[in-house]
Amino acid sequence: MPPKASKAPSSAAAKSRSSAASSASSSSSSPLSTLYNSYVDNTPKRLKVVDAFLVFLMLSGIIQFVYCALITNFPFNSFIAGFASTVGQFVLAASLRIQANTQNRQTFPKVSPERAFGDFLFGSVILHFFVFNFLG
Amino acid sequence: MSADSTTFRSAPARTAYRLPTLSPEANKNVLSLLRLIIIFLIAGAAISSRLFAVVRHESIIHEFDPWFNFRATKVLTTDGFYRFWNWFDATAWYPLGRAAGGTAYPGLMVTSGAIYNLFHSLNIPVDIRNICVLLAPAFSGLTAWATYMFTAAMKDDAAGLLAAVFIGIAPGYISRSVAGSYDNEAIAIFLLMMTFYLWIKALKDGSALWGVATALFYFYMVAAWGGYVFITNMIPLHALVLILMGRFSSRLYVSYSSFYALGTLASMQVPFVGFQPVRTSEHMAALGVFGLLQLVAFVELIRSHVPSKQFKLLLVGFVILVATLAFGALIALTYAGYVAPWTGRFYSLWDTAYAKKHIPIIASVSEHQPPAWPAFFFDLEMLIFLFPVGIFLLFKELRDEHVFVIIYAVMASYFAGVMVRLMLTLTPVVCVSAAIAMSTLLQTYLDPKEPTPLVASGANPDSDGDGQGVTKNTRSRKGAVAAMVETTAATTTGSSDSELSRPTSPQFSAKHFSSSWFGIFGLDSRFFVTIYSLLLLLVFVLHCTFVTSTAYSSPSVVLASRNADGSQHIIDDFREAYYWLRSNTPSDAKVMSWWDYGYQISGMADRPTLVDNNTWNNTHIATVGKAMCSPEEKSYPILRQHDVDYVLIIFGGLLGFSGDDINKYLWMIRIAQGVWPDEVKEADYFTARGEYKVDDGASKAMKQSLMYKMSYHRFNDLFGGRPGMDRVRQSQGPTKSPELDYLDEAFTSENWIVRIYQVKKPDALGRDLPGVKGFDGGKRRKRAVGLPPVAVASAAGRKK
């Protein structure tokens, strides 16, 4: 998904085209391709950047977990710290994505996208403070 | 207020009484001033009602556990933070020692250490003891404030202020937070309410900032009290119930995820907690709900992108499947041993017979018994019957945060029903719920609006006015009510944040309970109900003050009694004995006592102890129990093996002090029996008819045991040689006072409450100690007949 981010059309015309395409494809093609097309067409570029970051964090966490499961978990606190940093960062970035999404505006009446970014920064700083304290 | 009051005047609806006319700004200012004054007065009441013990007696630490906290705080303030963090207490658990820095919750000590340093940096040289004594009252003021914020988020400021009053003086909370009670609960309840408030705020706003703030306060709570597990399970339970009710929202995802991800990592920084959040069953609910939320959020995202109905159904099935698989995996991991099962202390909350059967040391603590009904009325008075009303009202208007209070009420009621000690966690929710009930009642009956007759009103009683929305009208009416009564002051500003997110959210008010059929007419009904409620509130204050003064404000270190003329008589045997130990024994003399007194001995007498109130090593406690309940010749090797120099017992037989060691004796026997079932048998200590007797009819094992001999040694001397009267057991003591061969009486306090015995050294000539005693007493053993005269002469010389 992330490599396609650059190709995302952002004009209103493209949007109307995509909605027409998705409604047409829902009956014919598989839901997965519908999902893919709908994502590519309807997601703003910024959110795609966040999504790319989310995928990166997920991969990083999976690699750490596989290392822990297959090789060793010996400095267990280091594993916890590293893994928790990816999970925590993932969650914070996902929160940012949700809050900055314009479709969710009515769900978050008190949180503007700028405020969401500020929250994200604050949470990340606190998270990394604890991560570095726990690395040992 | 002018707009509002013109509304009332121009409205066709009649009002029962006229409201004062103020401009909106003036109204707002008056309300916030009133609010501020009320909160300060509540904090003052909360603090001053906890000072009975300090005013009557002196500023000392009460009870047992606080003595360890106090000693640890002294280490923190004198040696610095890092020394405290790595503090190895070599004087506790004598042969073993205790890594105290890693086996205690440091939050309390760090808090008072920070306050101490703050005062000293301001050149206010306060003794650390006074900070420790007065920490709990100070934090009770903060608890009142946190409860106010929490309840204001649930309903409005009026209910918040009532809840703050309730928690400020409710005996259920005072019992654990009087001045001198320097225990973890002193700050824990404040942190509990603060964490819950921030959680509610995070959930309402859907803000990661407040989620992180929740996590930080959760971290503080974890550092302060073992009861943090309650929060660890309450918040996930709330989230889970919201999901099951179909109330999942992105706000829930943001607040819970940011709370859990940071809070869990933060809680692992506390050495005592360590890896528990990922390894034990108590924390698995939080992890499971975290995973479930990720899943649900992901599926919601996908659902928004696909129109196909079948596919959406498939996604729901996917969530259920994965959740079931994860649950199965958790069970498998628990059985395989990767995840530790519930610890005994928590497990005994579910299986209430578990502790009594398997872990007598948990069952032996009086706080771990289920309470009787009167305890609820004693601790909470009228709040306990307003409590269900408030829950009912919350059910009527079920917002997301109301679900939290309902779950909290159910869980805390159950836990308080199982264990007296957990009355403490019940008290906040009872106060919140009762405040909601009481403020709804008052608002209903202080509302000046007369119900409109059926013909004139039409369907909506709020559609009068001049075109204001429903919410605005309700709010302004409530504002008008609030201005009339100081307890229900201020609703307009505080509740605004809840209404931003859900603009049409209904408020509790008269219109929900009175249609045009039902209503409150005239002043008399208003008057009676209001006066009656006021009376209830006043009686509540009286009750709280009475209970606090009589039941919860006695330091257990000194015992107070009344003389016939009403003057006070202080029995200070504990400190007398501890200071005797402190000043008359070598500083490395090991003192053996039952574990209850371990902290006090190390705190006041400053001597190494074998066991203390931190009951982490059951076998070691059982060893002490075995030494206490065995015959002398069997106890003596145990005492020698553990380098015991002094044995300290509590004996209340002379004074009628019921919490003495003979009454705790059966638990010593049971705990020892758990480890050495062959050598110690509980049944041996009862008479043939199954009675627990201390007089001449006592069983043989009882009469020979060390504890019995130490307790009644020389007891008859007090009664001129006649059998003494034991005022606790209400029976006579033994006819002939028991003699001790292996121990010497070293000290007995004024009222015989504390008795200290010195363990004799082995005889220099290698004789056994009963033989030596008999020899000194002039009794010759047969074998000793042929001794050379020199030895006899020296022994005789030693005697005189």
Side-chain angles (χ1 to χ4, degrees), chain B residues 617-672:
Chain B
N617 189 332
N618 191 35
T619 314
H620 209 48
I621 292 177
T623 307
V624 173
K626 190 185 172 193
M628 293 288 199
C629 64
S630 301
E632 257 187 292
E633 61 271 16
K634 282 190 190 162
S635 300
Y636 187 67
I638 301 177
L639 300 180
R640 292 296 305 166
Q641 277 164 6
H642 292 87
D643 294 347
V644 175
D645 297 304
Y646 292 92
V647 181
L648 179 148
I649 61 156
I650 308 294
F651 175 67
L654 180 66
L655 208 67
F657 174 63
S658 60
D660 69 350
D661 276 347
I662 294 283
N663 277 3
K664 291 173 185 166
Y665 193 29
L666 281 176
W667 287 109
M668 302 184 201
I669 297 165
R670 271 171 211 156
I671 290 168

Side-chain angles (χ1 to χ4, degrees), chain A residues 26 31 35 38 76-77 80 87-88 91 94 97-99 107-110 115 119 122-123 126-127 130-131 133-134, chain B residues 205-209 212 250-251 253-254 257-258 261-262 265-266 268-269 275 279 290 302 305-307 311 497 501:
Chain A
S26 65
L35 170 67
S38 163
F76 193 53
N77 59 328
I80 291 284
V87 171
V91 163
R97 188 198 190 282
I98 290 173
Q99 290 171 321
T107 324
F108 297 98
K110 295 183 99 176
R115 158 86 192 272
D119 286 6
F122 175 71
I126 303 278
L127 175 76
F130 282 123
V131 165
N133 194 32
F134 202 60
Chain B
D205 291 2
S207 149
L209 175 72
V212 172
S250 308
R251 287 193 301 267
Y253 176 84
V254 171
S257 301
S258 53
L262 268 98
L265 183 62
M268 286 195 276
Q269 321 277 327
F275 295 129
R279 286 242 169 106
F290 179 69
I302 291 182
H305 280 291
V306 284
F311 196 66
D497 55 355
S501 47

Side-chain angles (χ1 to χ4, degrees), chain B residues 401-674:
Chain B
E401 58 267 26
H402 294 170
V403 176
F404 182 81
V405 178
I406 291 165
I407 299 170
Y408 182 11
V410 171
M411 301 306 286
S413 311
Y414 171 75
F415 289 134
V418 173
M419 216 183 250
V420 181
R421 185 183 188 179
L422 295 177
M423 189 78 89
L424 184 70
T425 52
L426 176 68
T427 306
V429 73
V430 169
C431 292
V432 169
S433 177
I436 286 170
M438 183 54 96
S439 79
T440 306
L441 181 78
L442 286 175
Q443 276 170 3
T444 308
Y445 278 88
L446 288 172
D447 188 354
K449 194 173 174 209
E450 292 275 299
T452 41
L454 190 61
V455 201
S457 78
N460 186 0
D462 271 308
S463 63
D464 42 32
D466 28 25
Q468 291 173 317
V470 173
T471 320
K472 176 77 186 119
N473 202 347
T474 313
R475 265 205 274 159
S476 61
R477 251 179 32 192
K478 283 170 59 189
V481 171
M484 299 301 296
V485 195
E486 79 284 7
T487 43
T488 57
T491 60
T492 44
T493 50
S495 58
S496 59
D497 55 355
S498 68
E499 280 159 357
L500 270 178
S501 47
R502 275 169 294 274
T504 53
S505 71
Q507 289 277 342
F508 300 102
S509 70
K511 78 178 161 67
H512 296 288
F513 306 102
S514 60
S515 68
S516 33
W517 291 96
F518 307 102
I520 303 139
F521 292 90
L523 273 175
D524 46 357
S525 54
R526 287 184 170 82
F527 182 76
F528 280 123
V529 174
T530 313
I531 291 295
Y532 177 70
S533 313
L534 203 63
L535 216 63
L536 269 184
L537 291 170
L538 291 175
V539 170
F540 175 69
V541 173
L542 280 182
H543 175 86
C544 290
T545 317
F546 167 75
V547 167
T548 309
S549 159
T550 52
Y552 293 136
S553 294
S554 44
S556 59
V557 176
V558 292
L559 308 169
S561 67
R562 292 255 169 228
N563 291 332
D565 60 348
S567 64
Q568 198 173 42
H569 181 63
I570 298 285
I571 293 150
D572 204 1
D573 280 32
F574 285 100
R575 284 193 294 181
E576 184 191 348
Y578 294 144
Y579 282 105
W580 182 86
L581 268 181
R582 193 188 186 102
S583 43
N584 293 304
T585 59
S587 64
D588 61 342
K590 285 90 190 168
V591 182
M592 185 182 93
S593 72
W594 190 233
W595 61 265
D596 292 11
Y597 315 105
Y599 280 160
Q600 286 193 344
I601 291 171
S602 58
M604 286 194 255
D606 197 20
R607 292 290 174 267
T609 54
L610 261 70
V611 293
D612 63 30
N613 306 44
N614 171 270
T615 53
W616 62 277
N617 189 332
N618 191 35
T619 314
H620 209 48
I621 292 177
T623 307
V624 173
K626 190 185 172 193
M628 293 288 199
C629 64
S630 301
E632 257 187 292
E633 61 271 16
K634 282 190 190 162
S635 300
Y636 187 67
I638 301 177
L639 300 180
R640 292 296 305 166
Q641 277 164 6
H642 292 87
D643 294 347
V644 175
D645 297 304
Y646 292 92
V647 181
L648 179 148
I649 61 156
I650 308 294
F651 175 67
L654 180 66
L655 208 67
F657 174 63
S658 60
D660 69 350
D661 276 347
I662 294 283
N663 277 3
K664 291 173 185 166
Y665 193 29
L666 281 176
W667 287 109
M668 302 184 201
I669 297 165
R670 271 171 211 156
I671 290 168
Q673 186 184 11

